[in-house]
Amino acid sequence: MKIYKFGGASVKNAEGIKNVARIIGLEQEADILVVVSAIGKTTNALELVVDACFYNKSELNELLVSVKTTHLEIVKELFDPSDVMFINDIENLFLELECILENEQLHEDYDFLYDQIVTYGELISSRILSSYLLKTGLRTQWIDSRNFIITDNRYRDARVQWEETERIIKNRLLPLARKNLIVTQGFMGRGPMGETTTLGREGSDYSAAIFGKCLGAESVTIWKDVPGVLNADPKRFNPTHLLTELTYNDAIELAYYGASVIHPKTIQPLKAAKIPLFVRSFIDTDNPGTRVFEGEHRIQTPCFILKEFQWLLEISSSDFTFIAEDHLRDLFERFSTYKVRVNIMQNSAIRFRCAIDHKEHQHIPLIQELEKAGFVVKAQAGLKLLSVYQPQLQEAREKAQSMGKIILEQQVDSAAHFLIA
Ligand code: ASP
Ligand code: MG
């Protein structure tokens, strides 16, 4: 069995969905499990809906209508009025979403509410896709991934409960998958109270890897709008090169530094089960793309990864004592509690400096809490972090300098990092 994952860009309109159906149609139904993300930029749009809902903003209705309109226009292009059953299924999902928005009992915790709402992007896209596949005559079964991917309750960044997940997938999904083409949602799972959880932004790749590992798939393929894994994002760097082969370890490092082509958690489960990962273009389907597998050799080409919206935190203790082990423990405990990801860090006698991603709901309370705990925190926003994997150092530094003023530079193992103002 093969796992195919299609991201938002591949299903961004009716044309895209037809193309995805064409790619899937090239395989036998019983050989494929499809994981799909929300259509286009729906998750971003639903994030605004969450915000408007949580803070009782007046634009809530307008935002919701816009998400609905985008989807219903696609539905109109794909289905005829006689496909009422399919259309009803999709409209019902919007009704469910509206109930959640109106149910104030669900509005107490931001991250919890977020997970209950944004996942409608995936629920709706997977319904549209599976209905369309059925309509084209493929033996398709839509399944709710929450019945299979079991997580803890760390909302927006839930951790998979592997034992239970693996058991349920083997016992209940494998028999179905052997018979039918399965279509399911990426990005989401079920928490301990039966609530919806998410695996973190762009988490659908990870979902594909979870299904792949638990089903013992022969491969996982991520279909993208780029020819495969490139050594840099072509929207930002020129020229770029396709990396036709990558070891799991290279891929893990690239993803960890923020190469957005693969979600960082995706590779580990595949590596553990020795399942190859293919990254291929859904536009140029003759191109074999990138193969990620267990191998010895490491890539030689320098890879450039740019992360924007970085904050620099400079933390010292208010009594001017050294930043020692106990301080570091207190700091990291709080980073973990607030789910703030530290991208690079440096520690000197009296100052700890780190670059973190901009996440308002997480790090503003973090800074307040650190201050309460007796730290002095200086924060600088609007920075960029350039990470270069397998760098030629001089060239990498020049690249960073061409982007602005370097305010922090660091080399660790096979990578150089530049924080740029
Ligand atoms: N739709 C989710 C997101 O945009 C998950 C994914 O695309 O992987 O973050
Ligand atoms: Mg997406």
Side-chain angles (χ1 to χ4, degrees):
M1 181 174 321
K2 296 178 194 156
I3 313 295
Y4 277 6
K5 181 262 172 174
F6 291 96
S10 65
V11 289
K12 68 171 190 255
N13 51 30
E15 224 39 63
I17 292 172
K18 288 180 187 169
N19 181 49
V20 164
R22 178 185 65 82
I23 295 173
I24 295 169
L26 299 174
E27 302 287 333
Q28 290 295 321
E29 284 113 323
D31 285 343
I32 300 285
L33 179 139
V34 176
V35 173
V36 66
S37 304
I39 283 174
K41 300 270 177 241
T42 303
T43 309
N44 293 358
L46 288 172
E47 282 188 339
L48 298 178
V49 169
V50 175
D51 219 63
C53 175
F54 191 80
Y55 295 111
N56 289 318
K57 292 184 186 165
S58 57
E59 60 265 34
L60 174 61
N61 195 42
E62 198 184 317
L63 291 166
L64 185 65
V65 169
S66 141
V67 174
K68 205 167 161 178
T69 311
T70 318
H71 284 83
L72 293 183
E73 272 167 15
I74 295 175
V75 168
K76 221 163 93 193
E77 274 190 62
L78 293 175
F79 301 100
D80 307 318
S82 61
D83 297 320
V84 269
M85 259 179 38
F86 294 147
I87 301 172
N88 279 349
D89 279 348
I90 296 159
E91 285 185 342
N92 280 342
L93 287 167
F94 278 105
L95 291 178
E96 271 180 35
L97 173 58
E98 278 161 29
C99 288
I100 293 176
L101 294 172
E102 279 160 22
N103 183 349
E104 285 184 8
Q105 281 176 339
L106 301 174
H107 300 186
E108 270 166 31
D109 178 85
Y110 192 96
D111 290 352
F112 169 83
L113 180 68
Y114 179 102
D115 284 359
Q116 312 317 302
I117 292 177
V118 292
T119 40
Y120 274 84
E122 271 68 15
L123 287 166
I124 296 165
S125 66
S126 60
R127 263 289 174 212
I128 295 178
L129 178 63
S130 71
S131 301
Y132 184 71
L133 293 169
L134 267 175
K135 187 178 151 72
T136 60
L138 293 175
R139 214 171 49 243
T140 312
Q141 186 165 1
W142 179 92
I143 61 149
D144 188 329
S145 61
R146 290 171 295 190
N147 292 335
F148 300 97
I149 296 187
I150 310 302
T151 72
D152 66 4
N153 62 357
R154 197 173 148 106
Y155 304 118
R156 296 178 74 173
D157 187 25
R159 282 168 290 206
V160 174
Q161 309 294 298
W162 279 99
E163 252 175 57
E164 207 180 339
T165 299
E166 192 145 13
R167 184 169 46 76
I168 296 179
I169 291 183
K170 282 214 162 78
N171 291 346
R172 295 211 224 128
L173 183 57
L174 191 57
L176 299 177
R178 285 205 175 112
K179 282 193 264 163
N180 300 318
L181 165 62
I182 305 285
V183 174
T184 192
Q185 312 77 40
F187 180 52
M188 54 197 273
R190 187 177 312 285
M193 294 177 328
E195 74 279 38
T196 308
T197 56
T198 63
L199 307 172
R201 281 303 306 261
E202 307 304 329
S204 299
D205 293 356
Y206 184 38
S207 303
I210 297 166
F211 282 114
K213 176 170 190 294
C214 299
L215 289 168
E218 65 176 81
S219 64
V220 172
T221 305
I222 299 178
W223 296 90
K224 310 245 356 161
D225 56 358
V226 287
V229 181
L230 303 174
N231 75 319
D233 180 349
K235 290 183 196 116
R236 295 195 165 116
F237 296 86
N238 188 7
T240 54
H241 310 283
L242 174 69
L243 307 168
T244 52
E245 290 197 330
L246 269 184
T247 63
Y248 290 123
N249 288 345
D250 278 336
I252 287 169
E253 288 210 51
L254 287 177
Y256 179 80
Y257 298 135
S260 59
V261 68
I262 309 172
H263 185 270
K265 290 183 184 166
T266 308
I267 311 291
Q268 292 286 15
L270 298 179
K271 178 178 150 100
K274 294 200 167 55
I275 297 171
L277 170 72
F278 295 95
V279 182
R280 297 183 57 183
S281 161
F282 60 76
I283 304 158
D284 177 11
T285 44
D286 293 332
N287 191 332
T290 302
R291 179 170 73 116
V292 183
F293 65 116
E294 183 78 72
E296 286 298 312
H297 91 291
R298 315 207 80 189
I299 40 172
Q300 304 296 325
T301 328
C303 298
F304 295 86
I305 298 143
L306 186 67
K307 280 188 150 188
E308 287 181 294
F309 310 112
Q310 296 293 298
W311 282 56
L312 172 67
L313 297 187
E314 299 196 330
I315 303 169
S316 45
S317 72
S318 52
D319 55 4
F320 302 107
T321 51
F322 291 135
I323 294 284
E325 289 73 15
D326 47 349
H327 289 117
L328 292 174
R329 182 201 53 218
D330 292 349
L331 286 174
F332 279 101
E333 220 166 73
R334 289 179 171 90
F335 284 136
S336 166
T337 309
Y338 287 93
K339 301 174 201 157
V340 169
R341 155 99 193 252
V342 175
N343 292 320
I344 55 169
M345 57 185 154
Q346 255 178 15
N347 193 31
S348 67
I350 52 164
R351 195 169 59 166
F352 175 84
R353 303 206 293 169
C354 65
I356 60 172
D357 295 336
H358 170 89
K359 279 196 188 134
E360 212 168 322
H361 295 292
Q362 291 155 0
H363 67 241
I364 304 262
L366 165 77
I367 292 173
Q368 286 164 348
E369 166 108 17
L370 288 171
E371 286 171 341
K372 253 197 268 156
F375 290 102
V376 178
V377 184
K378 259 175 63 189
Q380 186 178 350
L383 307 173
K384 291 188 269 253
L385 179 65
L386 175 69
S387 297
V388 188
Y389 185 56
Q390 302 297 13
Q392 272 137 25
L393 210 50
Q394 194 46 33
E395 181 204 37
R397 192 174 293 123
E398 278 164 19
K399 185 89 213 163
Q401 277 160 345
S402 75
M403 298 172 122
K405 182 167 175 273
I406 300 175
I407 53 173
L408 204 151
E409 179 175 335
Q410 194 176 60
Q411 286 146 50
V412 191
D413 292 339
S414 329
H417 307 276
F418 305 90
L419 191 63
I420 304 165

